[in-house]
Amino acid sequence: MSKKVVFIAFVVSLGGFLFGFDAGIISGVMSYAGPEFNLNDAQTGWVVSSPSFAAMIAMLISGRLSDVIGRKKILIVVAFLYAVSALASAYATSYEMLYIARMIGGLAFGAALILAPTYIAEISSAENRGKLVSIQQLNIVLGFFAAFLSNYYFNKLNTSGDSFLTDENVWRWMLGVEFIPAILYFIFMFFVPRSPRWLYSKGNVAEAKIVLNSLHGEELALVEIETIEKNVKEHKRGDKVSMLELLKPSLRFILIVGLVLGVLQQITGINAVYFYATSIFKQTGIGTDASFASGILLSTTTVIFTIIAIFLIDKMGRRPLLLVGMAGIAISLLTIAYGFNQATYKLTSEEITQFKNMDNSKLDPFTNKQYDNDIDFKNDMKLALGNQVYAKNEGAILEAATNINATLVLIGILGFIACFAFSLGPVMWVMLSELFPNRYRGLAIGVIGFVNSFISWGVQQVFPWELSNLGNSMSFLIFGVIALFGFFILLRILPETKGKSLEQIEFDLVKN
């Protein structure tokens, strides 16, 4: 595997880094922006989930558009949109401006999430494709890590009282710093070649051969050229692919596999945990500062297990990683649900007197009252203090009141993150880039990406409502039960694609 191919894969998947950065940043941003704009559950959900809503549109269009004008051109536009989104979010003066700016970023990561693995699969050889496409997921989790680290230090500077940062402006700096990697991505994209398989599909055979030779050397390039040319002969160049063609019997099996993977990756709640990480850690009663620090632990775990996946995916194969990961995801989510179910909540008079920035006397009626669920406790606190005051002080109130096995919940969350990071996270995108024939790939990944993003948007939008109305335990129990069903579905239908060329996979799985 040449260094040039690895470098190009890293550059192209920087869009994944920016997606991860955006997702990680918002979990800390909402601790400040939510109270500042006095957002309710639905508005909080929309600010967090609006990029995923915009991503649905981008995923549906960008795959098909990339088949027409090329992967590279669209990825350059993606980088530009990321930069615009970062600046506009940082300067948002209202709830409406904030979510519109974030939707611009959503258009960018919607396109990036499907085009980067597609492009990388098309420049890779069969032996290394799994590792290279997994670089997309590695960049996503590195983005999460960078975001949680950034949030932690911005929060620390703000709470220290020794800097220019305040509760009113710290979230703007958290969002604005994303501009730096976005501009770097924009510049680097001009130095990557066009996809050789896309060039072949457009009849630019000479340029495609030059690209393959520069990527793989003459010997391996000849092998890749032979398989591509054989595939191109079987499918007339210029044939337009309609959405309805994806439903034809020969593609039915791989479409079902792709859709199951696309749905399961999001419906098990991964983006609820990532996007609301700081809020979830607050629910364990560890406090606001510790919640920001726990985000770093979460993202570090993600990076470690994504790297493990990259080393294992071309050795163990896709199927074993997914099955082991899904089983672990189900067990971890059920553990979190159990941990939250055992929690109790009670405020003593001493604890109430220590709260700052509120009228403490409003909490006197609840002194020494014990609650066996978080819903009743939080509703009484909101009723007494008002939503905005409670939101600003939620970390301190829960830290004082909560009696929970926080270690058990933390183990469950880290177990979930670890299992996702070596299975559904990277392996889904690898398999989507492999399953579909060359002429259908852009459109098919776009459609599945649309479904994936729709589920992601739904989970993020509903999660604040779930926590407020169903409670912590029931919210994670639902995710756990879904993951358990998902395991048995994958056990039945999942194929193995390890070590096969894209053309060989098509021969094996597409029933002509």
Side-chain angles (χ1 to χ4, degrees), residues 306-441:
T306 301
I307 292 170
I308 289 171
I310 291 173
F311 281 106
L312 293 179
I313 194 166
D314 287 320
K315 293 179 181 177
M316 280 183 64
R318 288 55 160 155
R319 182 180 162 89
L321 283 179
L322 277 170
L323 292 178
V324 171
M326 276 303 300
I329 286 169
I331 293 168
S332 298
L333 287 167
L334 295 173
T335 300
I336 298 169
Y338 175 79
F340 275 124
N341 189 53
Q342 302 303 302
T344 58
Y345 305 83
K346 184 172 74 172
L347 286 173
T348 64
S349 57
E350 291 82 11
E351 288 165 340
I352 290 173
T353 57
Q354 290 175 7
F355 293 141
K356 301 174 182 177
N357 308 316
M358 68 174 80
D359 182 356
N360 299 37
S361 63
K362 291 182 178 180
L363 297 179
D364 288 342
F366 306 101
T367 303
N368 293 322
K369 181 179 178 181
Q370 182 154 316
Y371 299 80
D372 60 5
N373 70 83
D374 57 302
I375 304 174
D376 292 340
F377 175 73
K378 285 186 280 188
N379 284 343
D380 278 354
M381 294 300 103
K382 290 173 186 176
L383 196 65
L385 299 170
N387 284 336
Q388 190 169 24
V389 174
Y390 173 75
K392 282 185 176 180
N393 297 279
E394 183 179 53
I397 293 170
L398 287 173
E399 183 178 7
T402 306
N403 179 23
I404 189 176
N405 187 343
T407 303
L408 183 66
V409 175
L410 182 61
I411 289 170
I413 291 173
L414 294 179
F416 172 42
I417 293 297
C419 291
F420 181 90
F422 73 74
S423 61
L424 277 175
V427 181
M428 185 201 82
W429 292 112
V430 172
M431 291 202 73
L432 290 187
S433 72
E434 295 174 329
L435 285 172
F436 296 96
N438 197 47
R439 66 195 296 261
Y440 300 106
R441 190 172 299 123

Side-chain angles (χ1 to χ4, degrees), residues 29 153 191 196 232 259 288 296 413 428-429 510:
V29 165
Y153 280 110
F191 295 93
V232 169
L259 284 170
T288 299
I296 299 174
I413 291 173
M428 185 201 82
W429 292 112
V510 177

Side-chain angles (χ1 to χ4, degrees), residues 163-445:
S163 73
F164 62 93
L165 295 174
T166 65
D167 285 1
E168 287 70 40
N169 70 16
V170 63
W171 62 272
R172 299 182 185 278
W173 285 89
M174 289 175 173
L175 290 167
V177 76
E178 187 180 339
F179 179 77
I180 298 169
I183 283 297
L184 290 174
Y185 182 35
F186 179 74
I187 294 168
F188 283 141
M189 272 307 303
F190 286 96
F191 295 93
V192 305
R194 295 194 285 181
S195 161
R197 280 178 169 81
W198 179 81
L199 288 167
Y200 257 102
S201 73
K202 294 300 174 186
N204 296 339
V205 176
E207 186 180 346
K209 288 181 177 179
I210 291 169
V211 172
L212 284 167
N213 279 325
S214 70
L215 293 175
H216 303 297
E218 290 187 14
E219 189 177 335
L220 187 54
L222 284 172
V223 176
E224 293 294 311
I225 289 166
E226 188 180 331
T227 56
I228 294 170
E229 287 181 342
K230 184 180 177 183
N231 185 262
V232 169
K233 286 176 185 175
E234 291 173 3
H235 302 293
K236 292 180 181 178
R237 191 176 70 245
D239 285 354
K240 287 187 177 179
V241 181
S242 71
M243 196 84 74
L244 288 175
E245 281 191 68
L246 294 177
L247 302 177
K248 64 185 187 180
S250 62
L251 298 176
R252 190 173 297 154
F253 173 70
I254 56 175
L255 184 63
I256 289 171
V257 172
L259 284 170
V260 167
L261 288 171
V263 169
L264 281 178
Q265 197 205 42
Q266 293 300 330
I267 206 167
T268 48
I270 188 63
N271 279 344
V273 173
Y274 277 144
F275 283 61
Y276 296 98
T278 304
S279 176
I280 292 169
F281 284 123
K282 279 184 189 176
Q283 305 303 312
T284 65
I286 62 175
T288 299
D289 290 345
S291 296
F292 276 91
S294 295
I296 299 174
L297 181 59
L298 181 150
S299 55
T300 303
T301 302
T302 309
V303 171
I304 291 168
F305 281 89
T306 301
I307 292 170
I308 289 171
I310 291 173
F311 281 106
L312 293 179
I313 194 166
D314 287 320
K315 293 179 181 177
M316 280 183 64
R318 288 55 160 155
R319 182 180 162 89
L321 283 179
L322 277 170
L323 292 178
V324 171
M326 276 303 300
I329 286 169
I331 293 168
S332 298
L333 287 167
L334 295 173
T335 300
I336 298 169
Y338 175 79
F340 275 124
N341 189 53
Q342 302 303 302
T344 58
Y345 305 83
K346 184 172 74 172
L347 286 173
T348 64
S349 57
E350 291 82 11
E351 288 165 340
I352 290 173
T353 57
Q354 290 175 7
F355 293 141
K356 301 174 182 177
N357 308 316
M358 68 174 80
D359 182 356
N360 299 37
S361 63
K362 291 182 178 180
L363 297 179
D364 288 342
F366 306 101
T367 303
N368 293 322
K369 181 179 178 181
Q370 182 154 316
Y371 299 80
D372 60 5
N373 70 83
D374 57 302
I375 304 174
D376 292 340
F377 175 73
K378 285 186 280 188
N379 284 343
D380 278 354
M381 294 300 103
K382 290 173 186 176
L383 196 65
L385 299 170
N387 284 336
Q388 190 169 24
V389 174
Y390 173 75
K392 282 185 176 180
N393 297 279
E394 183 179 53
I397 293 170
L398 287 173
E399 183 178 7
T402 306
N403 179 23
I404 189 176
N405 187 343
T407 303
L408 183 66
V409 175
L410 182 61
I411 289 170
I413 291 173
L414 294 179
F416 172 42
I417 293 297
C419 291
F420 181 90
F422 73 74
S423 61
L424 277 175
V427 181
M428 185 201 82
W429 292 112
V430 172
M431 291 202 73
L432 290 187
S433 72
E434 295 174 329
L435 285 172
F436 296 96
N438 197 47
R439 66 195 296 261
Y440 300 106
R441 190 172 299 123
L443 177 61
I445 295 179

